mmCIF file of all heavy atoms in Angstrom:
data_model
loop_
_atom_site.group_PDB
_atom_site.id
_atom_site.type_symbol
_atom_site.label_atom_id
_atom_site.label_comp_id
_atom_site.label_asym_id
_atom_site.label_seq_id
_atom_site.Cartn_x
_atom_site.Cartn_y
_atom_site.Cartn_z
ATOM 1 N N GLY U 276 -27.128 -12.409 -7.055
ATOM 2 C CA GLY U 276 -25.811 -12.627 -6.460
ATOM 3 C C GLY U 276 -24.897 -13.367 -7.409
ATOM 4 O O GLY U 276 -23.850 -13.846 -6.920
ATOM 5 N N PHE U 277 -25.189 -13.422 -8.744
ATOM 6 C CA PHE U 277 -24.313 -14.043 -9.665
ATOM 7 C C PHE U 277 -23.061 -13.194 -9.840
ATOM 8 O O PHE U 277 -22.952 -12.060 -9.436
ATOM 9 C CB PHE U 277 -24.980 -14.429 -10.956
ATOM 10 C CG PHE U 277 -25.111 -13.250 -11.786
ATOM 11 C CD1 PHE U 277 -24.464 -12.974 -13.033
ATOM 12 C CD2 PHE U 277 -26.074 -12.172 -11.607
ATOM 13 C CE1 PHE U 277 -24.599 -11.901 -13.938
ATOM 14 C CE2 PHE U 277 -26.273 -11.069 -12.489
ATOM 15 C CZ PHE U 277 -25.565 -10.982 -13.549
ATOM 16 N N SER U 278 -22.056 -13.845 -10.486
ATOM 17 C CA SER U 278 -20.802 -13.184 -10.742
ATOM 18 C C SER U 278 -20.410 -13.320 -12.172
ATOM 19 O O SER U 278 -20.774 -14.281 -12.843
ATOM 20 C CB SER U 278 -19.616 -13.761 -9.923
ATOM 21 O OG SER U 278 -19.513 -15.074 -10.130
ATOM 22 N N TYR U 279 -19.596 -12.352 -12.726
ATOM 23 C CA TYR U 279 -19.516 -12.234 -14.076
ATOM 24 C C TYR U 279 -18.275 -11.525 -14.611
ATOM 25 O O TYR U 279 -17.775 -10.561 -13.918
ATOM 26 C CB TYR U 279 -20.811 -11.335 -14.552
ATOM 27 C CG TYR U 279 -21.022 -11.014 -16.017
ATOM 28 C CD1 TYR U 279 -21.693 -11.760 -16.835
ATOM 29 C CD2 TYR U 279 -20.649 -9.733 -16.452
ATOM 30 C CE1 TYR U 279 -21.952 -11.477 -18.136
ATOM 31 C CE2 TYR U 279 -20.858 -9.463 -17.757
ATOM 32 C CZ TYR U 279 -21.586 -10.349 -18.588
ATOM 33 O OH TYR U 279 -21.799 -9.905 -19.898
ATOM 34 N N GLN U 280 -17.679 -11.980 -15.685
ATOM 35 C CA GLN U 280 -16.566 -11.307 -16.207
ATOM 36 C C GLN U 280 -16.728 -11.218 -17.761
ATOM 37 O O GLN U 280 -17.230 -12.245 -18.395
ATOM 38 C CB GLN U 280 -15.248 -11.957 -15.916
ATOM 39 C CG GLN U 280 -14.050 -11.298 -16.684
ATOM 40 C CD GLN U 280 -12.665 -11.753 -16.183
ATOM 41 O OE1 GLN U 280 -12.564 -12.472 -15.179
ATOM 42 N NE2 GLN U 280 -11.656 -11.374 -16.943
ATOM 43 N N THR U 281 -16.333 -10.286 -18.356
ATOM 44 C CA THR U 281 -16.423 -10.226 -19.805
ATOM 45 C C THR U 281 -15.123 -9.404 -20.314
ATOM 46 O O THR U 281 -14.551 -8.629 -19.590
ATOM 47 C CB THR U 281 -17.676 -9.466 -20.264
ATOM 48 O OG1 THR U 281 -17.717 -9.461 -21.677
ATOM 49 C CG2 THR U 281 -17.742 -8.059 -19.793
ATOM 50 N N GLY U 282 -14.911 -9.586 -21.560
ATOM 51 C CA GLY U 282 -13.776 -8.862 -22.197
ATOM 52 C C GLY U 282 -14.057 -7.533 -22.893
ATOM 53 O O GLY U 282 -15.099 -6.894 -22.425
ATOM 54 N N VAL U 283 -13.191 -7.134 -23.769
ATOM 55 C CA VAL U 283 -13.323 -5.793 -24.279
ATOM 56 C C VAL U 283 -13.824 -5.779 -25.740
ATOM 57 O O VAL U 283 -13.832 -4.683 -26.363
ATOM 58 C CB VAL U 283 -12.058 -5.021 -24.185
ATOM 59 C CG1 VAL U 283 -11.724 -4.617 -22.696
ATOM 60 C CG2 VAL U 283 -10.888 -5.692 -24.826
ATOM 61 N N GLY U 284 -14.109 -6.921 -26.333
ATOM 62 C CA GLY U 284 -14.636 -6.930 -27.646
ATOM 63 C C GLY U 284 -16.021 -6.345 -27.798
ATOM 64 O O GLY U 284 -16.637 -6.172 -26.767
ATOM 65 N N GLY U 285 -16.348 -5.946 -29.011
ATOM 66 C CA GLY U 285 -17.630 -5.282 -29.208
ATOM 67 C C GLY U 285 -18.756 -6.077 -28.846
ATOM 68 O O GLY U 285 -19.705 -5.617 -28.162
ATOM 69 N N ALA U 286 -18.723 -7.535 -29.109
ATOM 70 C CA ALA U 286 -19.898 -8.291 -28.772
ATOM 71 C C ALA U 286 -19.988 -8.525 -27.244
ATOM 72 O O ALA U 286 -20.976 -8.506 -26.740
ATOM 73 C CB ALA U 286 -19.683 -9.691 -29.425
ATOM 74 N N SER U 287 -18.774 -8.661 -26.650
ATOM 75 C CA SER U 287 -18.750 -8.793 -25.131
ATOM 76 C C SER U 287 -19.375 -7.555 -24.427
ATOM 77 O O SER U 287 -20.231 -7.627 -23.566
ATOM 78 C CB SER U 287 -17.334 -8.925 -24.632
ATOM 79 O OG SER U 287 -16.711 -10.083 -25.115
ATOM 80 N N ILE U 288 -18.900 -6.350 -24.902
ATOM 81 C CA ILE U 288 -19.454 -5.148 -24.268
ATOM 82 C C ILE U 288 -20.953 -5.046 -24.524
ATOM 83 O O ILE U 288 -21.713 -4.688 -23.684
ATOM 84 C CB ILE U 288 -18.632 -3.927 -24.868
ATOM 85 C CG1 ILE U 288 -17.271 -3.926 -24.246
ATOM 86 C CG2 ILE U 288 -19.438 -2.652 -24.645
ATOM 87 C CD1 ILE U 288 -16.332 -2.792 -24.641
ATOM 88 N N ALA U 289 -21.413 -5.385 -25.728
ATOM 89 C CA ALA U 289 -22.838 -5.374 -26.083
ATOM 90 C C ALA U 289 -23.626 -6.227 -25.193
ATOM 91 O O ALA U 289 -24.749 -6.023 -24.743
ATOM 92 C CB ALA U 289 -23.029 -5.640 -27.549
ATOM 93 N N SER U 290 -22.999 -7.398 -24.942
ATOM 94 C CA SER U 290 -23.756 -8.444 -24.059
ATOM 95 C C SER U 290 -23.869 -7.920 -22.616
ATOM 96 O O SER U 290 -24.895 -8.174 -22.012
ATOM 97 C CB SER U 290 -23.201 -9.757 -24.172
ATOM 98 O OG SER U 290 -21.871 -9.839 -23.564
ATOM 99 N N THR U 291 -22.861 -7.171 -22.153
ATOM 100 C CA THR U 291 -22.984 -6.631 -20.739
ATOM 101 C C THR U 291 -24.195 -5.738 -20.810
ATOM 102 O O THR U 291 -24.937 -5.675 -19.899
ATOM 103 C CB THR U 291 -21.715 -5.914 -20.368
ATOM 104 O OG1 THR U 291 -20.684 -6.860 -20.523
ATOM 105 C CG2 THR U 291 -21.780 -5.406 -18.995
ATOM 106 N N ILE U 292 -24.202 -4.881 -21.822
ATOM 107 C CA ILE U 292 -25.260 -3.836 -21.874
ATOM 108 C C ILE U 292 -26.749 -4.536 -21.924
ATOM 109 O O ILE U 292 -27.624 -4.153 -21.226
ATOM 110 C CB ILE U 292 -25.004 -2.859 -23.132
ATOM 111 C CG1 ILE U 292 -23.755 -2.075 -22.822
ATOM 112 C CG2 ILE U 292 -26.285 -1.961 -23.292
ATOM 113 C CD1 ILE U 292 -23.218 -1.195 -23.946
ATOM 114 N N SER U 293 -26.822 -5.479 -22.866
ATOM 115 C CA SER U 293 -28.145 -6.116 -22.962
ATOM 116 C C SER U 293 -28.556 -6.906 -21.693
ATOM 117 O O SER U 293 -29.616 -7.055 -21.224
ATOM 118 C CB SER U 293 -28.239 -6.945 -24.203
ATOM 119 O OG SER U 293 -27.426 -8.106 -24.177
ATOM 120 N N LEU U 294 -27.510 -7.610 -21.020
ATOM 121 C CA LEU U 294 -27.734 -8.256 -19.888
ATOM 122 C C LEU U 294 -28.249 -7.337 -18.705
ATOM 123 O O LEU U 294 -29.062 -7.730 -17.978
ATOM 124 C CB LEU U 294 -26.381 -9.005 -19.417
ATOM 125 C CG LEU U 294 -26.508 -9.923 -18.229
ATOM 126 C CD1 LEU U 294 -27.461 -11.042 -18.466
ATOM 127 C CD2 LEU U 294 -25.203 -10.479 -17.636
ATOM 128 N N SER U 295 -27.678 -6.188 -18.632
ATOM 129 C CA SER U 295 -27.884 -5.266 -17.557
ATOM 130 C C SER U 295 -29.428 -4.849 -17.749
ATOM 131 O O SER U 295 -30.205 -4.648 -16.706
ATOM 132 C CB SER U 295 -27.142 -3.936 -17.579
ATOM 133 O OG SER U 295 -27.420 -3.186 -18.798
ATOM 134 N N LYS U 296 -30.002 -4.844 -18.943
ATOM 135 C CA LYS U 296 -31.401 -4.562 -19.066
ATOM 136 C C LYS U 296 -32.275 -5.676 -18.387
ATOM 137 O O LYS U 296 -33.273 -5.384 -17.755
ATOM 138 C CB LYS U 296 -31.825 -4.465 -20.597
ATOM 139 C CG LYS U 296 -31.257 -3.078 -21.097
ATOM 140 C CD LYS U 296 -31.621 -2.989 -22.607
ATOM 141 C CE LYS U 296 -30.810 -1.784 -23.250
ATOM 142 N NZ LYS U 296 -30.568 -1.986 -24.612
ATOM 143 N N ILE U 297 -31.962 -6.855 -18.694
ATOM 144 C CA ILE U 297 -32.730 -8.071 -18.127
ATOM 145 C C ILE U 297 -32.510 -8.083 -16.621
ATOM 146 O O ILE U 297 -33.479 -8.343 -15.935
ATOM 147 C CB ILE U 297 -32.353 -9.313 -18.789
ATOM 148 C CG1 ILE U 297 -32.627 -9.232 -20.392
ATOM 149 C CG2 ILE U 297 -33.014 -10.568 -18.259
ATOM 150 C CD1 ILE U 297 -32.378 -10.563 -21.154
#
Side-chain angles (χ1 to χ4, degrees):
Chain U
F277 78 105
S278 58
Y279 180 85
Q280 174 167 353
T281 184
V283 291
S287 296
I288 286 179
S290 68
T291 305
I292 295 169
S293 67
L294 185 65
S295 71
K296 285 179 193 152
I297 298 187

